[in-house]
Amino acid sequence: MAIEVISENASHGGVQGVYKHASAATGTDMTFSVFVPSHEPGAKLPVVWYLSGLTCTSANVTEKGEFRAACAELGLIFVAPDTSPRGDGVSDDADGGYDFGLGAGFYVDATQEPFAKNYRMWSYITDELPAFVAQHFPADRTRQSIMGHSMGGHGALTIALRNADVYRAVSAFSPIVAPSQVPWGEKALSGYLGGDRATWRLHDAVALIYDGARFPDILVDQGEADQFLAVQLKPSLLAEACNEAGIALTLRLQPGYDHSYYFISTFMADHLRWHAERLY
């Protein structure tokens, strides 16, 4: 399992790297970024996984997320995968939409053609990439947590809810909490998984909670000036589900903040401290 170094830069006493490898899950080369803080030789560090949103790559949070100072202080490895497979021959949205196809993998394993061949982001994120990262970096797979933004918030919530024994913490910025009930999710889940809505429930955080999935506590930050809040995000649906299930949800509505990385970077350190408290 060879790793290709695209770049490595010293930052906050550690190393910010961007890497590429050949993925068996997606059948493509995949690029991801990793920040490793300064640490004692031989030490294993907890890992925070960050899942990005629609149209993004690993570069968005790496360049705009402002996470390295907090990760250096807290002793956290920060891993940012891509949002979909890419490359020649990888199917895209035939209509050219930004919310499906390239950059919009929705963290599912597609079952519908022509996407089933490459769009296996669930397997890539939950299985292949963690094993690969542990092989090449000082990552402690017994101490992992997950977070994400928008589509990536959807991915983080569903992955944590279905793997509560693997991840010690989960948080999200502006997550798509109920993709079965909003246009972004309906387009993606029908395109990747087909028309049977029963199969969508495994990739819908609100549905998972009503179906019995549990996680001890969840942190969500949502900008009140987010242009997607009312139609695509609907955090109140998550609040209702968590309340009924007895899940401790910290939902913070942030006045004046939108959907951008100006918002994410403002509260990134808060989220990383939340994760560190549960990883150490």
Side-chain angles (χ1 to χ4, degrees), residues 36 38 66 68-69 102 133 155 160 188 215 221 242-243 277:
V36 179
S38 177
E66 300 183 21
R68 279 172 287 271
L102 297 182
V133 166
F215 205 86
D221 270 307
C242 287
N243 183 57
E277 288 172 359

Side-chain angles (χ1 to χ4, degrees), residues 54-55 92-93 95-104 184 187 228 232:
L54 289 166
T55 76
D92 196 6
D93 186 351
D95 297 325
Y98 73 94
D99 53 356
F100 187 74
L102 297 182
W184 276 342
K187 179 177 181 178
F228 304 114
Q232 303 284 11

Side-chain angles (χ1 to χ4, degrees), residues 52-177:
S52 295
L54 289 166
T55 76
C56 291
T57 69
S58 60
N60 295 74
V61 69
T62 304
E63 297 170 3
K64 302 176 184 177
E66 300 183 21
F67 56 85
R68 279 172 287 271
C71 284
E73 172 194 342
L74 299 167
L76 301 173
I77 293 176
F78 189 96
V79 184
D82 203 346
T83 51
S84 78
R86 300 178 193 269
D88 294 340
V90 176
S91 298
D92 196 6
D93 186 351
D95 297 325
Y98 73 94
D99 53 356
F100 187 74
L102 297 182
F106 261 82
Y107 305 102
V108 305
D109 282 353
T111 60
Q112 303 301 298
E113 298 301 337
F115 304 101
K117 176 183 177 182
N118 302 118
Y119 284 76
R120 300 187 55 79
M121 292 300 294
W122 181 274
S123 293
Y124 179 68
I125 297 297
T126 63
D127 184 24
E128 183 180 22
L129 189 57
F132 188 79
V133 166
Q135 179 184 358
H136 293 279
F137 301 93
D140 184 352
R141 292 193 70 182
T142 69
R143 292 185 292 163
Q144 298 186 99
S145 67
I146 193 164
M147 64 191 301
H149 169 233
S150 193
M151 178 186 72
H154 139 77
L157 291 172
T158 57
I159 287 171
L161 284 164
R162 288 174 58 184
N163 298 276
D165 58 333
V166 174
Y167 302 94
R168 296 195 186 182
V170 61
S171 70
F173 301 100
S174 319
I176 306 170
V177 302

Side-chain angles (χ1 to χ4, degrees), residues 99 106 154 175-190 197 200 204 228-235 237:
D99 53 356
F106 261 82
H154 139 77
I176 306 170
V177 302
S180 300
Q181 301 183 50
V182 302
W184 276 342
E186 289 179 322
K187 179 177 181 178
L189 296 180
S190 62
R197 285 178 170 261
W200 300 5
D204 182 309
F228 304 114
L229 176 57
V231 175
Q232 303 284 11
L233 306 178
K234 300 187 176 183
L237 297 177

